[in-house]
Amino acid sequence: MTRWKYGNYEFGVNPNGMETSTELVGDNVRTLSGATISQPSFLKDSHSVTSVFYQPRSRAIAQAVVQNSSAVCFDNGQLYVLNRVNDRIDVYSSNLSNRVSSVSLSNLQNKNYVNLDVVSNRFWLVSSVNSSTDSITQLDFNGNIVSSGTISKTMECSGVRYFNGYLWLLRTNGNIEKIRTNDFAKVSIVVLPYELYYSGLSSDSNFLIVGNRDSYNKLYHVDTKTGKIINQIYFDKMNPVYDVTYDGKYFYTINQNNVLQKIDGNTVECDLHLFQYEIENYAFVNMITDMGVSMKVMVSNMSIKRRLEFEHMYEVSMTITKVDRG
């Protein structure tokens, strides 16, 4: 089914209501003698659109126990689990059914592993050196060291993610450090609200994904441009999050008891954030209706209301004004 598009944003469901009004702007003014004074006149088209954004409540759709780990990451259809006891990285199928293979970490001198990420054909491994220093090691898929370095710390590292060309290190106090990969220098820091025990770091194509192991047991989407939490995901039976990874559709979290959960998560506020970002950053965009009609428009008014008693249902209304009128 063809859906509405506003700029780059495609409505998940076509708007359930639309009103159109046409207004004549300008008039013909005359002098006392009756001569017409020319004044431009044009038709102003406005469209009022109402739509409902809804996704079902988050839930765990699978669960399994893995060995000796509280760090997990996803890449190329497989899950990689840091096995601290056996000094290796275990590879599992994405359905959590069986261990496929393992990668030895015998080449590393520092065995005090903290967290793991994998991207393409490289592992990024963070280990604790002492109370003030962490080491970062890049390894290939055979366990050979590609590069390594150290970085200062004030709090323990509880997550690592390679994202948009940088390494991002999560500290337990909510500081997320942006690290260059060539010299391991800190570029900037994203500071999340304090008094939560943040643990676990991943990303989707737009945002970092952060977990916590407090009594809240939530996942957060973090906008690195603003440093703000823009979405949260939770449900009644979510385990405390020690690490999190994302496969493009599902979230995988692991807790201190090595229990791995596969989660179908709600991201409706994240969708609305992207929609608002589109409106705020582009003065005029092309809107295409489900009938294929394209017009250059701007949004002059927008409201977002949560439906009463529905945690993840939002009614979105906006007034769209056609630009190329006349």
Side-chain angles (χ1 to χ4, degrees):
M1 179 180 68
T2 303
R3 296 192 175 115
W4 278 52
K5 290 189 68 176
Y6 176 89
N8 295 318
Y9 188 91
E10 181 176 301
F11 280 61
V13 177
N14 285 326
N16 58 2
M18 177 177 174
E19 296 180 359
T20 300
S21 63
T22 301
E23 177 185 358
L24 178 65
V25 180
D27 52 16
N28 293 323
V29 181
R30 297 177 181 271
T31 65
L32 290 177
S33 64
T36 301
I37 301 175
S38 177
Q39 180 173 330
S41 299
F42 56 86
L43 297 177
K44 178 181 177 182
D45 294 335
S46 295
H47 310 276
S48 296
V49 178
T50 303
S51 188
V52 174
F53 289 71
Y54 173 77
Q55 291 184 0
R57 185 176 174 86
S58 306
R59 62 194 185 280
I61 59 175
Q63 187 166 295
V65 177
V66 295
Q67 294 181 356
N68 310 316
S69 180
S70 56
V72 61
C73 50
F74 178 90
D75 185 70
N76 197 28
Q78 295 179 316
L79 290 166
Y80 296 83
V81 176
L82 179 59
N83 189 325
R84 294 183 174 91
V85 174
N86 299 103
D87 195 29
R88 70 191 187 204
I89 299 170
D90 292 331
V91 185
Y92 288 82
S93 57
S94 60
N95 60 9
L96 318 184
S97 61
N98 62 297
R99 181 163 61 91
V100 178
S101 61
S102 296
V103 178
S104 173
L105 297 176
S106 59
N107 289 332
L108 272 72
Q109 298 297 317
N110 185 352
K111 306 296 184 182
N112 194 15
Y113 313 125
V114 175
N115 214 284
L116 169 77
D117 190 30
V118 58
V119 57
S120 186
N121 60 346
R122 291 289 187 268
F123 295 109
W124 292 97
L125 193 66
V126 178
S127 301
S128 178
V129 178
N130 51 47
S131 60
S132 61
T133 308
D134 282 330
S135 67
I136 302 174
T137 306
Q138 183 184 186
L139 304 101
D140 63 21
F141 269 28
N142 294 316
N144 299 313
I145 297 174
V146 178
S147 63
S148 63
T150 59
I151 187 170
S152 62
K153 68 177 181 183
T154 55
M155 298 290 290
E156 292 300 318
C157 176
S158 58
V160 59
R161 179 62 175 169
Y162 183 86
F163 176 63
N164 285 348
Y166 293 89
L167 273 183
W168 301 77
L169 265 61
L170 173 68
R171 301 295 179 182
T172 53
N173 64 349
N175 288 355
I176 308 176
E177 300 168 348
K178 184 178 182 180
I179 310 296
R180 284 200 302 257
T181 58
N182 60 336
D183 59 2
F184 302 109
K186 295 180 185 179
V187 177
S188 61
I189 299 178
V190 174
V191 180
L192 300 182
Y194 194 59
E195 297 182 350
L196 289 175
Y197 197 98
Y198 296 98
S199 185
L201 188 64
S202 187
S203 67
D204 58 18
S205 57
N206 297 287
F207 307 105
L208 289 175
I209 300 167
V210 179
N212 85 38
R213 61 175 92 164
D214 285 340
S215 57
Y216 300 102
N217 302 342
K218 293 182 179 180
L219 300 176
Y220 305 98
H221 283 83
V222 177
D223 187 340
T224 58
K225 298 182 181 66
T226 63
K228 294 182 179 180
I229 293 175
I230 61 168
N231 181 49
Q232 61 184 24
I233 298 170
Y234 69 98
F235 57 96
D236 295 338
K237 295 183 179 181
M238 179 183 283
N239 293 327
V241 179
Y242 272 61
D243 200 13
V244 58
T245 190
Y246 181 63
D247 70 359
K249 183 177 182 181
Y250 299 109
F251 302 88
Y252 299 81
T253 66
I254 194 167
N255 70 357
Q256 62 180 338
N257 298 318
N258 306 313
V259 177
L260 192 64
Q261 285 186 321
K262 183 177 183 179
I263 296 170
D264 186 1
N266 166 70
T267 57
V268 63
E269 290 178 335
C270 186
D271 292 341
L272 292 180
H273 179 85
L274 288 173
F275 192 34
Q276 288 176 295
Y277 180 84
E278 188 107 344
I279 291 173
E280 292 168 358
N281 287 273
Y282 298 96
F284 308 125
V285 299
N286 288 320
M287 185 179 75
I288 305 174
T289 70
D290 55 349
M291 299 299 291
V293 178
S294 177
M295 64 187 82
K296 184 178 287 186
V297 299
M298 62 173 291
V299 170
S300 57
N301 184 51
M302 180 179 181
S303 67
I304 299 174
K305 296 181 180 180
R306 190 195 304 267
R307 274 199 178 179
L308 186 63
E309 298 181 354
F310 287 89
E311 185 175 0
H312 300 307
M313 184 180 291
Y314 296 81
E315 292 182 350
V316 179
S317 299
M318 55 186 180
T319 301
I320 301 171
T321 303
K322 186 178 179 183
V323 178
D324 54 340
R325 55 185 180 264

